[in-house]
């Protein structure tokens, strides 16, 4: 088992290893005064891992209730959020009780936001069951729901009390979902660590999962501890996301987050190479690794269409959007880009 500790507004451990789901109850016991635990999950994940999570918690002496919502991004809504809060209230959870987010990014973000706001804040444990959630969304305290106007538009920074990542749960993932997580894994290599990038290039998707999750989480820990509230260097984690969100939204969420981010990374690399900010060799290497992992590099949507969706980016401030530009593999810069210059930049990446 691997352990990474984050010291932010709340200090917590991220445990990574095989068989950890069975230790959920024992880990939850470490938090004093908890009597009732609410497992929050969705209809794809709960049938696979719900019983194991419930057993571990009941064996440890907790009263357990479970709230299971339909799988999919559409559930990350105000309706599901309010319905979950009502479920917690009806089941009389108190401030000293605990939520468990059992699932991928949708479950983690929604549960985290409910935990941040129910009774003005209750503890929650993230139990990520997708690679994407394990390496990114379960760590660092970003919680949110979507609004009709866009993704993640209502939320809070609210750190979990523990992240328990059982690598066995990743073996049940459909290949497509696993590859989505690979886009985020590759992203860490491009932003921070050429040696890690080279390792991922050499192994392909058969990499050592425990080691890779640990490395991603260590990199994320360092930036979250430096910039928990995302006003500076944490924005680098958005490499490929600004254009990627445009692609994802334009596809009406039919194209997955990971594939959209892969397209965003490839486009930003091509544009950076054209503008002389990144060597052609590194731009080619970034595109090659994405292609080797079976991820897409291009979209047929026009630059004008994408920019229309990119303008709702949360990080837009005044007349600029911060674009994350790779300047070499292992290093990125945050470049505030005037809204008027976005279309030309996106065109350069097509
Ligand atoms: N997913 C990007 C971040 O946590 O900042």
């Amino acid at each position: 088992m691997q352990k990474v500790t984050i010291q932010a507004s709340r200090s917590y451990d991220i445990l990574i290893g095989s068989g950890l789901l069975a230790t959920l109850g024992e880990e939850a016991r470490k938090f004093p005064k908890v009597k009732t635990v609410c497992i929050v999950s969705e209809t794809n994940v709960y049938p696979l891992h719900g019983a194991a999570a419930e057993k571990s918690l009941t064996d440890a002496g907790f009263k357990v209730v479970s709230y299971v919502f339909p799988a999919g991004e559409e559930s990350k809504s105000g309706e599901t959020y309010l319905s979950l809060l009502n479920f917690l209230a009806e089941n009389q959870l108190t401030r000293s009780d605990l939520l468990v987010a059992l699932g991928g990014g949708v479950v983690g973000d929604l549960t985290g936001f409910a935990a941040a706001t129910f009774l003005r804040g209750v503890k929650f444990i993230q139990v990520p069951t997708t690679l994407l959630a394990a390496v990114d969304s379960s760590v660092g305290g970003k919680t949110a729901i979507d609004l009709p106007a866009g993704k993640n538009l209502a939320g809070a920074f609210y750190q979990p009390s523990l992240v328990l990542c059982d690598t066995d749960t990743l073996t049940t993932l459909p290949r497509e979902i696993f590859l989505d997580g690979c886009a985020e894994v590759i992203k860490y290599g491009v932003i921070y660590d050429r040696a890690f990038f080279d390792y991922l290039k050499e192994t392909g998707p058969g990499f050592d999962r425990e080691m890779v999750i640990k490395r991603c989480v260590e990199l994320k820990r360092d930036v979250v501890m430096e910039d928990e509230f995302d006003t500076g260097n944490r924005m680098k984690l958005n490499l490929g996301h600004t254009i990627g969100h445009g692609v994802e939204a334009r596809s009406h969420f039919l194209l997955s987050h990971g594939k959209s981010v892969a397209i965003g990374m490839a486009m930003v690399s091509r544009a950076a190479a054209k503008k002389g900010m990144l060597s052609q060799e590194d731009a080619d290497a970034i595109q090659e690794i994405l292609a080797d992992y079976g991820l897409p590099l291009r979209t047929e949507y026009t630059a004008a269409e994408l920019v229309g969706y990119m303008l709702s980016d949360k990080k837009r401030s005044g007349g600029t959007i911060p674009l994350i530009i790779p300047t070499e593999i292992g290093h990125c810069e945050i470049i505030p880009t005037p809204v008027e210059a976005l279309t030309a930049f996106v065109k350069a990446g097509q």
Side-chain angles (χ1 to χ4, degrees):
M1 185 190 70
Q2 307 289 336
K3 179 161 105 170
V4 178
T5 301
I6 294 205
Q7 272 148 355
S9 50
R10 171 180 278 142
S11 285
Y12 57 99
D13 292 334
I14 298 154
L15 308 179
I16 308 150
S18 169
L20 288 183
L21 190 55
T23 68
L24 176 61
E26 194 184 306
E27 291 297 334
R29 268 276 146 253
K30 294 181 185 163
F31 303 113
K33 295 194 196 157
V34 180
K35 288 200 164 36
T36 304
V37 180
C38 178
I39 297 175
V40 183
S41 192
E42 43 92 316
T43 47
N44 288 338
V45 172
Y46 187 78
L48 296 171
H49 307 299
E54 276 190 30
K55 179 174 176 346
S56 176
L57 289 163
T58 44
D59 286 354
F62 296 108
K63 176 184 170 198
V64 182
V65 292
S66 295
Y67 180 87
V68 181
F69 59 82
E73 183 77 26
E74 318 73 64
S75 287
K76 210 171 119 180
S77 62
E79 289 75 20
T80 318
Y81 163 71
L82 273 184
S83 154
L84 170 57
L85 294 188
N86 282 320
F87 181 85
L88 299 174
E90 279 155 19
N91 283 283
Q92 298 175 343
L93 269 84
T94 69
R95 269 190 161 169
S96 53
D97 287 328
L98 177 71
L99 310 191
V100 169
L102 177 69
V106 169
V107 171
D109 285 8
L110 177 84
T111 310
F113 189 43
T117 48
F118 182 66
L119 306 179
R120 300 203 179 93
V122 295
K123 287 180 285 303
F124 81 115
I125 298 179
Q126 289 271 19
V127 183
T129 60
T130 63
L131 180 62
L132 193 147
V135 298
D136 187 23
S137 58
S138 69
V139 176
K142 280 191 182 174
T143 73
I145 55 171
D146 301 336
L147 298 181
K151 236 180 114 137
N152 295 332
L153 291 187
F157 288 97
Y158 190 72
Q159 302 292 339
S161 294
L162 174 72
V163 181
L164 193 78
C165 176
D166 183 341
T167 48
D168 296 345
T169 62
L170 306 183
T171 61
T172 55
L173 285 182
R175 187 170 168 77
E176 288 299 300
I177 308 239
F178 181 75
L179 291 181
D180 269 346
C182 292
E184 296 282 355
V185 170
I186 292 166
K187 180 192 82 173
Y188 283 100
V190 177
I191 307 173
Y192 295 116
D193 187 343
R194 187 183 275 271
F196 184 54
F197 179 94
D198 290 342
Y199 166 79
L200 296 169
K201 174 103 183 91
E202 198 179 304
T203 60
F207 52 69
D208 176 334
R209 292 176 181 188
E210 195 170 307
M211 189 282 270
V212 160
I213 293 169
K214 177 172 184 252
R215 183 69 192 129
C216 294
V217 164
E218 282 172 346
L219 291 164
K220 187 152 185 183
R221 170 202 58 198
D222 293 346
V223 72
V224 168
M225 284 174 61
E226 179 199 327
D227 177 24
E228 179 175 359
F229 298 107
D230 206 18
T231 56
N233 275 335
R234 185 168 179 174
M235 283 191 251
K236 289 185 182 174
L237 294 176
N238 263 357
L239 171 68
H241 283 61
T242 306
I243 298 179
H245 277 154
V247 176
E248 195 180 3
R250 172 62 189 82
S251 79
H252 304 296
F253 298 94
L254 294 175
L255 196 67
S256 67
H257 179 71
K259 290 198 176 77
S260 304
V261 166
I263 293 171
M265 269 194 284
M267 286 179 74
V268 94
S269 302
R270 288 194 291 270
K274 271 198 196 140
K275 291 184 180 297
M277 300 164 90
L278 173 71
S279 70
Q280 193 58 52
E281 196 186 353
D282 278 2
D284 291 344
I286 293 167
Q287 292 179 82
E288 270 161 33
I289 192 172
L290 293 169
D292 289 351
Y293 276 70
L295 291 161
L297 307 179
R298 289 179 191 276
T299 173
E300 74 275 15
Y301 302 135
T302 65
E305 282 177 303
L306 296 179
V307 168
Y309 286 95
M310 286 161 63
L311 292 181
S312 70
D313 192 288
K314 287 188 296 308
K315 294 189 179 63
R316 179 176 171 187
S317 142
T320 67
I321 287 195
L323 285 182
I324 315 306
I325 314 275
T327 51
E328 62 182 277
I329 291 172
H331 189 81
C332 285
E333 301 277 339
I334 304 169
I335 313 277
T337 306
V339 165
E340 312 80 69
L342 271 183
T343 308
F345 185 86
V346 173
K347 265 192 185 146
Q350 279 179 319

